[in-house]
Amino acid sequence: QFFNSSINSQREMAAANRSSVTEFILAGLTEHPGLQLPLFFLFLGIYVVTVVGNLVMIVLIGLSSRLHTPMYYFLSSLSFIDLCQSTVITLKMLVSFVTEKNTISYPACMTQLFFFLVFVISECHMLAVMAYDRYVAICNPLLYNVTMSYRLCSCMVAGVYVMGLTGATAHTGCMLRVLFCKADVINHYLCDLFPLLELSCSSTYINEVVVLCFSAFNILTPILTILSSYIFIISSILHIRSTEGRSKAFSTCSCHITAVAIFFGSAAFMYLQPSSVSSMDQGKVSSVFYTIIVPMLNPLIYSLRNKDVKIAFNKILEKRCFL
């Protein structure tokens, strides 16, 4: 009887420890009070530009028949992902700049983690899909319309979101089994995997295995797809004899290459550097690029350097002015 009561008391203590953390404190980007208000207006401006830019891109592609091609179909999906990703992260960040204590409840933290992972993983695979689209367009131009059919494009976009949901469900499900006892300060401005795992007072072995397996698939697969696609693209471009033909082929890929370089470059700087206090602070700045800056830059990159988008935008403006 004494043994049973001891086991029950241990279970009660474990349950109490598990439920002791009902909310977390986000450390944020900086602890300097004087920077809070300037950062609030800075990121508010970035968020407004992100929302307007991505919404304009989605509406423009939907309204302009000139842009009803696989390339712009994927671009509209990328804009939707960027818009959602920025909303998931930036709104909470803006609130943190104007509140004394930057807290987030346990359910809200897990929800933010889930949707953040959905859209980050989806963006990785969407960039790979767009690279494959450019490969077909340049290496097999005569078969492009047949190969990149509406059905195939729809299946590829659906597959992107399925992979995002699958990865996010696996990571968040494993995070829900982690015990958080006393430490509740997340050294980040959002609920991310590694900062949360650092607060765990239970074994994180399963989480680490899941992170390793899914990272190998969700990072290496898109990168290998992008690299192999551009190897074939460059090879095909070099076989083009005319200088004008080469420059035109390169121009169709330049926007995508820029977006890929910024996204994967900043993400690599965040996750592939040594773990230390200074590198974590640098990691926060780096993560701002691929979580907040990249969603703002993508519509600018694809609009300012794209003749089709400019022409479609001007035509719609002319129609509105005429009406």
Side-chain angles (χ1 to χ4, degrees), residues 150-164:
Y150 177 77
R151 182 179 179 181
L152 177 63
C153 292
S154 300
C155 290
M156 293 174 79
V157 171
V160 165
Y161 291 120
V162 167
M163 285 184 280

mmCIF file with all atom_site columns, all heavy atoms in Angstrom, residues 150-164:
data_model
loop_
_atom_site.group_PDB
_atom_site.id
_atom_site.type_symbol
_atom_site.label_atom_id
_atom_site.label_alt_id
_atom_site.label_comp_id
_atom_site.label_asym_id
_atom_site.label_entity_id
_atom_site.label_seq_id
_atom_site.pdbx_PDB_ins_code
_atom_site.Cartn_x
_atom_site.Cartn_y
_atom_site.Cartn_z
_atom_site.occupancy
_atom_site.B_iso_or_equiv
_atom_site.pdbx_formal_charge
_atom_site.auth_seq_id
_atom_site.auth_comp_id
_atom_site.auth_asym_id
_atom_site.auth_atom_id
_atom_site.pdbx_PDB_model_num
ATOM 1   N N   . TYR A 1 150 ? -2.427 21.429 -66.440 1.00 0.00 ? 150 TYR A N   1
ATOM 2   C CA  . TYR A 1 150 ? -3.130 21.990 -65.277 1.00 0.00 ? 150 TYR A CA  1
ATOM 3   C C   . TYR A 1 150 ? -3.260 20.949 -64.164 1.00 0.00 ? 150 TYR A C   1
ATOM 4   O O   . TYR A 1 150 ? -3.109 21.268 -62.982 1.00 0.00 ? 150 TYR A O   1
ATOM 5   C CB  . TYR A 1 150 ? -4.512 22.493 -65.685 1.00 0.00 ? 150 TYR A CB  1
ATOM 6   C CG  . TYR A 1 150 ? -5.328 23.025 -64.533 1.00 0.00 ? 150 TYR A CG  1
ATOM 7   C CD1 . TYR A 1 150 ? -5.079 24.292 -64.003 1.00 0.00 ? 150 TYR A CD1 1
ATOM 8   C CD2 . TYR A 1 150 ? -6.343 22.254 -63.957 1.00 0.00 ? 150 TYR A CD2 1
ATOM 9   C CE1 . TYR A 1 150 ? -5.822 24.784 -62.936 1.00 0.00 ? 150 TYR A CE1 1
ATOM 10  C CE2 . TYR A 1 150 ? -7.082 22.738 -62.884 1.00 0.00 ? 150 TYR A CE2 1
ATOM 11  C CZ  . TYR A 1 150 ? -6.818 24.002 -62.383 1.00 0.00 ? 150 TYR A CZ  1
ATOM 12  O OH  . TYR A 1 150 ? -7.544 24.473 -61.319 1.00 0.00 ? 150 TYR A OH  1
ATOM 13  N N   . ARG A 1 151 ? -3.514 19.707 -64.556 1.00 0.00 ? 151 ARG A N   1
ATOM 14  C CA  . ARG A 1 151 ? -3.657 18.632 -63.561 1.00 0.00 ? 151 ARG A CA  1
ATOM 15  C C   . ARG A 1 151 ? -2.355 18.400 -62.812 1.00 0.00 ? 151 ARG A C   1
ATOM 16  O O   . ARG A 1 151 ? -2.354 18.265 -61.581 1.00 0.00 ? 151 ARG A O   1
ATOM 17  C CB  . ARG A 1 151 ? -4.110 17.349 -64.253 1.00 0.00 ? 151 ARG A CB  1
ATOM 18  C CG  . ARG A 1 151 ? -4.343 16.188 -63.295 1.00 0.00 ? 151 ARG A CG  1
ATOM 19  C CD  . ARG A 1 151 ? -4.804 14.949 -64.029 1.00 0.00 ? 151 ARG A CD  1
ATOM 20  N NE  . ARG A 1 151 ? -4.998 13.831 -63.111 1.00 0.00 ? 151 ARG A NE  1
ATOM 21  C CZ  . ARG A 1 151 ? -5.371 12.618 -63.485 1.00 0.00 ? 151 ARG A CZ  1
ATOM 22  N NH1 . ARG A 1 151 ? -5.601 12.360 -64.760 1.00 0.00 ? 151 ARG A NH1 1
ATOM 23  N NH2 . ARG A 1 151 ? -5.516 11.651 -62.588 1.00 0.00 ? 151 ARG A NH2 1
ATOM 24  N N   . LEU A 1 152 ? -1.239 18.350 -63.549 1.00 0.00 ? 152 LEU A N   1
ATOM 25  C CA  . LEU A 1 152 ? 0.058  18.128 -62.904 1.00 0.00 ? 152 LEU A CA  1
ATOM 26  C C   . LEU A 1 152 ? 0.404  19.290 -61.979 1.00 0.00 ? 152 LEU A C   1
ATOM 27  O O   . LEU A 1 152 ? 0.875  19.082 -60.855 1.00 0.00 ? 152 LEU A O   1
ATOM 28  C CB  . LEU A 1 152 ? 1.151  17.958 -63.960 1.00 0.00 ? 152 LEU A CB  1
ATOM 29  C CG  . LEU A 1 152 ? 2.581  17.785 -63.414 1.00 0.00 ? 152 LEU A CG  1
ATOM 30  C CD1 . LEU A 1 152 ? 2.682  16.513 -62.578 1.00 0.00 ? 152 LEU A CD1 1
ATOM 31  C CD2 . LEU A 1 152 ? 3.600  17.759 -64.546 1.00 0.00 ? 152 LEU A CD2 1
ATOM 32  N N   . CYS A 1 153 ? 0.166  20.520 -62.438 1.00 0.00 ? 153 CYS A N   1
ATOM 33  C CA  . CYS A 1 153 ? 0.467  21.698 -61.613 1.00 0.00 ? 153 CYS A CA  1
ATOM 34  C C   . CYS A 1 153 ? -0.360 21.694 -60.326 1.00 0.00 ? 153 CYS A C   1
ATOM 35  O O   . CYS A 1 153 ? 0.161  21.994 -59.242 1.00 0.00 ? 153 CYS A O   1
ATOM 36  C CB  . CYS A 1 153 ? 0.201  22.972 -62.401 1.00 0.00 ? 153 CYS A CB  1
ATOM 37  S SG  . CYS A 1 153 ? 1.332  23.237 -63.785 1.00 0.00 ? 153 CYS A SG  1
ATOM 38  N N   . SER A 1 154 ? -1.633 21.341 -60.442 1.00 0.00 ? 154 SER A N   1
ATOM 39  C CA  . SER A 1 154 ? -2.500 21.274 -59.257 1.00 0.00 ? 154 SER A CA  1
ATOM 40  C C   . SER A 1 154 ? -2.019 20.207 -58.289 1.00 0.00 ? 154 SER A C   1
ATOM 41  O O   . SER A 1 154 ? -2.009 20.424 -57.066 1.00 0.00 ? 154 SER A O   1
ATOM 42  C CB  . SER A 1 154 ? -3.943 20.989 -59.685 1.00 0.00 ? 154 SER A CB  1
ATOM 43  O OG  . SER A 1 154 ? -4.430 22.004 -60.534 1.00 0.00 ? 154 SER A OG  1
ATOM 44  N N   . CYS A 1 155 ? -1.613 19.055 -58.826 1.00 0.00 ? 155 CYS A N   1
ATOM 45  C CA  . CYS A 1 155 ? -1.108 17.977 -57.973 1.00 0.00 ? 155 CYS A CA  1
ATOM 46  C C   . CYS A 1 155 ? 0.194  18.379 -57.276 1.00 0.00 ? 155 CYS A C   1
ATOM 47  O O   . CYS A 1 155 ? 0.409  18.044 -56.101 1.00 0.00 ? 155 CYS A O   1
ATOM 48  C CB  . CYS A 1 155 ? -0.887 16.715 -58.800 1.00 0.00 ? 155 CYS A CB  1
ATOM 49  S SG  . CYS A 1 155 ? -2.406 15.921 -59.373 1.00 0.00 ? 155 CYS A SG  1
ATOM 50  N N   . MET A 1 156 ? 1.057  19.098 -57.978 1.00 0.00 ? 156 MET A N   1
ATOM 51  C CA  . MET A 1 156 ? 2.329  19.534 -57.390 1.00 0.00 ? 156 MET A CA  1
ATOM 52  C C   . MET A 1 156 ? 2.092  20.537 -56.269 1.00 0.00 ? 156 MET A C   1
ATOM 53  O O   . MET A 1 156 ? 2.721  20.452 -55.209 1.00 0.00 ? 156 MET A O   1
ATOM 54  C CB  . MET A 1 156 ? 3.229  20.135 -58.471 1.00 0.00 ? 156 MET A CB  1
ATOM 55  C CG  . MET A 1 156 ? 3.706  19.128 -59.498 1.00 0.00 ? 156 MET A CG  1
ATOM 56  S SD  . MET A 1 156 ? 4.629  19.868 -60.866 1.00 0.00 ? 156 MET A SD  1
ATOM 57  C CE  . MET A 1 156 ? 6.233  20.103 -60.129 1.00 0.00 ? 156 MET A CE  1
ATOM 58  N N   . VAL A 1 157 ? 1.179  21.485 -56.483 1.00 0.00 ? 157 VAL A N   1
ATOM 59  C CA  . VAL A 1 157 ? 0.869  22.464 -55.435 1.00 0.00 ? 157 VAL A CA  1
ATOM 60  C C   . VAL A 1 157 ? 0.225  21.774 -54.236 1.00 0.00 ? 157 VAL A C   1
ATOM 61  O O   . VAL A 1 157 ? 0.567  22.065 -53.083 1.00 0.00 ? 157 VAL A O   1
ATOM 62  C CB  . VAL A 1 157 ? -0.058 23.572 -55.987 1.00 0.00 ? 157 VAL A CB  1
ATOM 63  C CG1 . VAL A 1 157 ? -0.561 24.460 -54.862 1.00 0.00 ? 157 VAL A CG1 1
ATOM 64  C CG2 . VAL A 1 157 ? 0.680  24.409 -57.017 1.00 0.00 ? 157 VAL A CG2 1
ATOM 65  N N   . ALA A 1 158 ? -0.697 20.841 -54.495 1.00 0.00 ? 158 ALA A N   1
ATOM 66  C CA  . ALA A 1 158 ? -1.322 20.093 -53.403 1.00 0.00 ? 158 ALA A CA  1
ATOM 67  C C   . ALA A 1 158 ? -0.275 19.293 -52.646 1.00 0.00 ? 158 ALA A C   1
ATOM 68  O O   . ALA A 1 158 ? -0.306 19.215 -51.401 1.00 0.00 ? 158 ALA A O   1
ATOM 69  C CB  . ALA A 1 158 ? -2.408 19.169 -53.961 1.00 0.00 ? 158 ALA A CB  1
ATOM 70  N N   . GLY A 1 159 ? 0.676  18.692 -53.375 1.00 0.00 ? 159 GLY A N   1
ATOM 71  C CA  . GLY A 1 159 ? 1.750  17.938 -52.730 1.00 0.00 ? 159 GLY A CA  1
ATOM 72  C C   . GLY A 1 159 ? 2.619  18.807 -51.841 1.00 0.00 ? 159 GLY A C   1
ATOM 73  O O   . GLY A 1 159 ? 3.061  18.364 -50.766 1.00 0.00 ? 159 GLY A O   1
ATOM 74  N N   . VAL A 1 160 ? 2.849  20.038 -52.263 1.00 0.00 ? 160 VAL A N   1
ATOM 75  C CA  . VAL A 1 160 ? 3.633  20.987 -51.456 1.00 0.00 ? 160 VAL A CA  1
ATOM 76  C C   . VAL A 1 160 ? 2.961  21.221 -50.109 1.00 0.00 ? 160 VAL A C   1
ATOM 77  O O   . VAL A 1 160 ? 3.598  21.160 -49.051 1.00 0.00 ? 160 VAL A O   1
ATOM 78  C CB  . VAL A 1 160 ? 3.807  22.319 -52.221 1.00 0.00 ? 160 VAL A CB  1
ATOM 79  C CG1 . VAL A 1 160 ? 4.280  23.425 -51.282 1.00 0.00 ? 160 VAL A CG1 1
ATOM 80  C CG2 . VAL A 1 160 ? 4.804  22.158 -53.353 1.00 0.00 ? 160 VAL A CG2 1
ATOM 81  N N   . TYR A 1 161 ? 1.652  21.477 -50.135 1.00 0.00 ? 161 TYR A N   1
ATOM 82  C CA  . TYR A 1 161 ? 0.931  21.736 -48.888 1.00 0.00 ? 161 TYR A CA  1
ATOM 83  C C   . TYR A 1 161 ? 0.812  20.477 -48.025 1.00 0.00 ? 161 TYR A C   1
ATOM 84  O O   . TYR A 1 161 ? 0.852  20.557 -46.792 1.00 0.00 ? 161 TYR A O   1
ATOM 85  C CB  . TYR A 1 161 ? -0.458 22.301 -49.184 1.00 0.00 ? 161 TYR A CB  1
ATOM 86  C CG  . TYR A 1 161 ? -0.430 23.697 -49.748 1.00 0.00 ? 161 TYR A CG  1
ATOM 87  C CD1 . TYR A 1 161 ? -0.956 23.980 -51.003 1.00 0.00 ? 161 TYR A CD1 1
ATOM 88  C CD2 . TYR A 1 161 ? 0.161  24.742 -49.030 1.00 0.00 ? 161 TYR A CD2 1
ATOM 89  C CE1 . TYR A 1 161 ? -0.913 25.265 -51.524 1.00 0.00 ? 161 TYR A CE1 1
ATOM 90  C CE2 . TYR A 1 161 ? 0.199  26.028 -49.545 1.00 0.00 ? 161 TYR A CE2 1
ATOM 91  C CZ  . TYR A 1 161 ? -0.338 26.282 -50.791 1.00 0.00 ? 161 TYR A CZ  1
ATOM 92  O OH  . TYR A 1 161 ? -0.288 27.555 -51.306 1.00 0.00 ? 161 TYR A OH  1
ATOM 93  N N   . VAL A 1 162 ? 0.674  19.321 -48.660 1.00 0.00 ? 162 VAL A N   1
ATOM 94  C CA  . VAL A 1 162 ? 0.617  18.061 -47.903 1.00 0.00 ? 162 VAL A CA  1
ATOM 95  C C   . VAL A 1 162 ? 1.931  17.822 -47.162 1.00 0.00 ? 162 VAL A C   1
ATOM 96  O O   . VAL A 1 162 ? 1.938  17.421 -45.989 1.00 0.00 ? 162 VAL A O   1
ATOM 97  C CB  . VAL A 1 162 ? 0.307  16.875 -48.846 1.00 0.00 ? 162 VAL A CB  1
ATOM 98  C CG1 . VAL A 1 162 ? 0.569  15.536 -48.148 1.00 0.00 ? 162 VAL A CG1 1
ATOM 99  C CG2 . VAL A 1 162 ? -1.141 16.939 -49.316 1.00 0.00 ? 162 VAL A CG2 1
ATOM 100 N N   . MET A 1 163 ? 3.052  18.073 -47.824 1.00 0.00 ? 163 MET A N   1
ATOM 101 C CA  . MET A 1 163 ? 4.358  17.905 -47.175 1.00 0.00 ? 163 MET A CA  1
ATOM 102 C C   . MET A 1 163 ? 4.540  18.904 -46.038 1.00 0.00 ? 163 MET A C   1
ATOM 103 O O   . MET A 1 163 ? 5.110  18.576 -44.997 1.00 0.00 ? 163 MET A O   1
ATOM 104 C CB  . MET A 1 163 ? 5.479  18.029 -48.202 1.00 0.00 ? 163 MET A CB  1
ATOM 105 C CG  . MET A 1 163 ? 5.603  16.805 -49.091 1.00 0.00 ? 163 MET A CG  1
ATOM 106 S SD  . MET A 1 163 ? 6.986  16.847 -50.245 1.00 0.00 ? 163 MET A SD  1
ATOM 107 C CE  . MET A 1 163 ? 6.307  17.879 -51.539 1.00 0.00 ? 163 MET A CE  1
ATOM 108 N N   . GLY A 1 164 ? 4.042  20.126 -46.234 1.00 0.00 ? 164 GLY A N   1
ATOM 109 C CA  . GLY A 1 164 ? 4.103  21.115 -45.164 1.00 0.00 ? 164 GLY A CA  1
ATOM 110 C C   . GLY A 1 164 ? 3.276  20.701 -43.962 1.00 0.00 ? 164 GLY A C   1
ATOM 111 O O   . GLY A 1 164 ? 3.734  20.788 -42.812 1.00 0.00 ? 164 GLY A O   1
#
